[in-house]
Structures are given as structure tokens and as C-alpha cells.
């Protein structure tokens, strides 16, 4: 599918200039990838945005959870065992690669550090986390999630990448994102808007194997910013999702910072599935992403805390388990079928 320059300008997004495809002609023709991609809202068009929704004051919480969740130490132990023992169903691959993708500041790097913290038994910042309006992560980084106390890596790798930017020259291009998913981009590659990934790029993987590719994409969005994200972001997400779906890669979504929109959840994470606020924001996240809320799970990352909390751990591990379920669907669909002896 050709992306026509300026096709989505009415959405408020700024487009870069079309870049030559870095993918060999045969691969490029097969993918139909041409043109450019909206990098994010133009800094020239930023305006004060009035939230479209105001939380009703004093709204009572639900009597029962709208999703079943056990908040116990035993559940945490069970989930840790599930995640640490996970192995891809495809024997040709030892680890599942999951790409975290979302706007700047959505909490992708914090999520990686938080998940690893659960297994470390203490809060650590493994992935460098920034606090500015521009993406702190500039390159492709793959993080092996290790088991308890530094055990061997699990079967899960979380891939961090720069966020969808806050200006004309700060965000990723669709071309580069799809190149990562297809397995062409080498580990540690630094993304520069004026230097798209090409076949001449150092370390470019011309013939990626199944282990080089991304097996699931997890979109990460900030619950506290859902109402103030520019309208054009929804168009970008839907455009991304269409191209990613064309590659037969399943997608899920994580709603971060849920404690920032619900005072009860901020005090007690176990209230997350009893909150009208969060339930409503999940629906709005689904509308933003163009996906059913059944694909979306709320999470709370560790930020200012120094000690782990069992309920926060359960919520984080449940999100990882959710991701792994969809990751395995990819392997079920893409595992090479054994060929039997030829029958004359």
C-alpha cells in the first residue's frame, strides 16, 4: 500500500519527505512499503487543548471487579513462574521479541525496568528513563527479562525504541518502525529522522530469520494524557496497526499511569478494576487505538517507590502474561510445518 505524501495533513500531523526504501527491491515490492509517515503533531500547530471529558466528582466505585483478578502473594508467585518458564512454541526461536511502541513519555522504558524489578526483588532502573518532552530512548535496545535473582534469561525480550515524537524531526517514521518489526534493524541502531534505515545502514539484516523479527507489538499509552493527545494521533495509530497487521503480527495495548487518574487506585492498586474512571479511560484508549478493550490492560509502573508492592507486581505480571498469550499466536501462525517423506 502506498502512503501518499500529505494524505493525512488534515489530521494535524507533520510529514517528512519520502525516503528511498532501504529494503531490497524484492522485499519492498512484496511489502508495498513506500512514501513517508506522520511523526507526530507539529510544534508549529500546538494549541491549548481542552479535555473533552471531566471525571464526575465523588463517583462511587464498583461493588465488584469488572475483570477478575486475584491479589495475593500466591498469584504473584504463580505469574512469576508462568513468565519465567515461558518458551516460544516454535523450536526455531528461543526468545519472543516484543516491541513497545507509543508516544514520548508513555512509560515504555519504565515498564521494562518495572517488570525486571519484580524478578530482581527490588526496584531497579534497568532501562534508562527520561522525564523530558523528547524521547530519551534514541536507539533500538533489546532487554532480556531475567528470572529471579539474576537467573538465566526468560523466553521474553522487551524491545525499547524511541517514542512517537513531539515535533517534525523528533519522531519515528513508519518506514523505520516496519523495518524493526521485519527484523532488518540491527541492535543498538540509533534512529535519526534524516537518516532512515537503508540496506546500506551498518549492520542492516538483509535476510532476517524468525528470531530477528518482532513477534508482538505492545502499544503503550498514558492514561493521564488520553484526553489531551492530539486528534491526529488516532490516525497514526490506526495507520500503524493496519501495516503491522499486514505483517501478521498481533497487537495489544498497555494503559500506564492509571494511578494518576484515580485517587483510589493511587492509594490501593487492587481498586483498579473497580474504578469507573479507569474503566471509562480504557474505552477511550480503545477508541484512540482502534482496538477492542479486550486487548488492553492497565498497569502501574514503579517510579518514585523504593520497595516492591505485591499488588503492583501482580498487575505488572498479568500484563506480561497478556502479552505472551498474543505472542504465542504469532508462533502458532508462523511455525514452519514439518515436511514428511515424499510419497511416490
Amino acid at each position: 500500500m502506498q502512503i501518499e505524501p500529505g494524505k493525512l495533513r488534515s489530521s494535524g500531523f507533520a510529514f517528512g519527505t519520502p525516503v528511498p526504501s532501504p529494503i531490497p527491491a524484492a522485499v519492498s515490492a512484496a511489502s508495498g512499503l513506500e512514501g513517508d509517515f506522520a511523526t507526530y503533531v507539529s510544534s508549529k500547530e500546538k494549541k491549548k487543548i481542552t479535555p473533552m471529558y471531566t471525571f464526575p466528582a465523588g463517583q462511587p466505585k464498583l461493588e465488584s471487579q469488572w475483570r477478575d483478578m486475584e491479589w495475593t502473594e500466591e498469584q504473584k508467585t504463580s505469574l512469576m513462574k508462568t513468565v519465567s518458564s515461558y518458551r516460544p512454541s516454535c523450536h526455531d526461536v528461543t526468545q519472543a521479541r516484543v516491541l513497545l511502541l507509543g508516544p514520548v513519555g508513555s512509560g515504555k522504558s519504565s515498564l521494562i525496568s518495572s517488570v525486571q524489578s519484580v524478578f530482581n526483588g527490588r526496584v531497579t532502573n534497568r532501562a534508562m528513563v527520561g522525564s523530558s518532552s523528547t524521547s530519551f530512548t534514541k536507539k533500538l535496545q533489546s532487554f532480556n527479562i531475567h528470572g529471579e535473582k539474576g537467573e538465566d534469561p526468560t523466553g521474553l525480550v522487551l524491545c525499547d525504541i524511541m517514542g512517537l515524537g513531539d515535533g517534525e524531526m523528533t519522531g519515528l517514521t513508519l518506514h523505520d518502525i516496519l523495518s524493526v518489526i521485519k527484523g532488518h534493524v540491527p541492535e543498538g541502531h540509533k534512529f535519526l529522522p534524516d537518516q532512515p534505515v537503508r540496506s546500506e545502514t551498518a549492520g542492516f539484516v538483509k535476510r532476517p530469520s524468525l528470531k530477528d523479527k518482532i513477534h508482538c507489538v505492545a502499544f503503550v499509552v498514558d492514561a493521564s494524557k488520553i484526553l489531551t493527545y492530539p486528534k491526529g494521533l488516532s490516525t497514526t495509530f490506526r495507520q500503524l496497526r493496519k501495516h503491522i497487521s499486514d505483517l501478521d503480527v498481533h497487537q495489544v495495548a498497555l494503559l500506564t499511569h492509571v494511578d494518576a487518574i484515580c485517587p483510589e487506585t493511587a492509594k490501593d492498586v487492587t481498586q483498579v478494576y473497580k474504578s469507573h474512571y479507569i474503566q471509562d479511560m480504557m474505552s477511550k484508549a480503545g477508541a484512540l487505538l482502534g482496538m477492542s478493550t479486550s486487548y488492553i490492560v492497565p498497569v502501574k509502573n514503579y517510579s518514585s517507590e523504593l520497595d516492591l508492592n505485591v499488588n503492583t507486581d501482580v498487575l505488572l505480571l498479568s500484563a506480561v502474561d497478556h502479552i505472551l498469550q498474543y505472542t504465542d499466536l504469532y508462533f502458532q501462525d508462523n511455525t514452519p510445518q514439518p515436511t514428511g517423506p515424499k510419497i511416490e
Side-chain angles (χ1 to χ4, degrees), residues 162-283:
M162 71 183 296
L164 301 177
D166 193 11
E168 293 182 8
M169 297 300 289
T170 57
L172 285 168
T173 63
L174 173 61
H175 175 87
D176 284 354
I177 292 172
L178 297 183
S179 293
V180 170
I181 295 172
K182 292 176 181 179
H184 292 296
V185 181
E187 178 69 15
H189 173 77
K190 186 175 181 179
F191 294 94
L192 298 171
D194 58 341
Q195 296 180 26
V197 176
R198 305 170 184 269
S199 56
E200 296 81 14
T201 297
F204 182 87
V205 183
K206 293 184 178 180
R207 294 180 177 84
S209 64
L210 192 60
K211 66 180 180 63
D212 299 315
K213 299 178 180 181
I214 293 298
H215 310 123
C216 181
V217 171
F219 290 105
V220 183
V221 291
D222 184 343
S224 68
K225 297 178 181 177
I226 290 289
L227 301 178
T228 55
Y229 279 138
K231 292 181 179 179
L233 183 59
S234 180
T235 302
T236 296
F237 275 132
R238 290 167 189 266
Q239 187 180 19
L240 271 170
R241 294 198 61 235
K242 181 184 185 306
H243 283 275
I244 295 171
S245 296
D246 287 343
L247 299 176
D248 296 325
V249 175
H250 293 274
Q251 302 136 60
V252 298
L254 309 177
L255 186 67
T256 60
H257 299 106
V258 291
D259 51 315
I261 66 169
C262 176
E264 292 298 323
T265 300
K267 292 184 289 186
D268 181 3
V269 177
T270 66
Q271 302 304 303
V272 64
Y273 284 123
K274 289 185 177 181
S275 170
H276 280 286
Y277 302 155
I278 295 173
Q279 187 180 36
D280 181 76
M281 203 55 66
M282 290 273 284
S283 297

Side-chain angles (χ1 to χ4, degrees), residues 45-61:
E45 299 177 3
K46 288 182 181 178
K47 298 178 181 179
K48 184 176 180 181
I49 301 173
T50 303
M52 297 176 291
Y53 174 81
T54 303
F55 294 120
Q59 189 175 33
K61 65 183 180 182

Side-chain angles (χ1 to χ4, degrees), residues 83-100 141-145 153-160 210-217 249 320-332:
V83 174
S84 61
S85 63
Y86 170 81
R87 295 296 180 272
S89 56
C90 175
H91 297 301
D92 294 337
V93 179
T94 58
Q95 291 181 302
R97 292 171 56 79
V98 176
L99 177 64
L100 304 180
Q141 292 179 288
S142 302
F143 294 88
N144 292 297
I145 301 301
T154 66
L156 173 65
V157 175
L158 295 178
C159 301
D160 199 9
L210 192 60
K211 66 180 180 63
D212 299 315
K213 299 178 180 181
I214 293 298
H215 310 123
C216 181
V217 171
V249 175
V320 176
D321 183 52
H322 178 74
I323 291 171
L324 291 177
Q325 290 179 39
Y326 285 93
T327 302
D328 237 23
L329 291 178
Y330 176 89
F331 293 119
Q332 292 175 26

Side-chain angles (χ1 to χ4, degrees), residues 57-76:
Q59 189 175 33
K61 65 183 180 182
L62 299 169
E63 292 184 4
S64 58
Q65 299 185 112
W66 44 277
R67 279 184 185 168
D68 291 332
M69 180 75 75
E70 292 182 31
W71 305 97
T72 63
E73 188 72 46
E74 291 75 20
Q75 178 68 357
K76 173 184 172 180

Side-chain angles (χ1 to χ4, degrees), residues 107-130:
K108 304 186 305 298
S109 299
S110 294
L111 177 74
I112 294 171
S113 293
S114 296
V115 171
Q116 188 59 71
S117 294
V118 176
F119 287 97
N120 288 347
R122 58 190 178 88
V123 177
T124 56
N125 289 316
R126 187 178 177 196
M128 299 295 286
V129 179

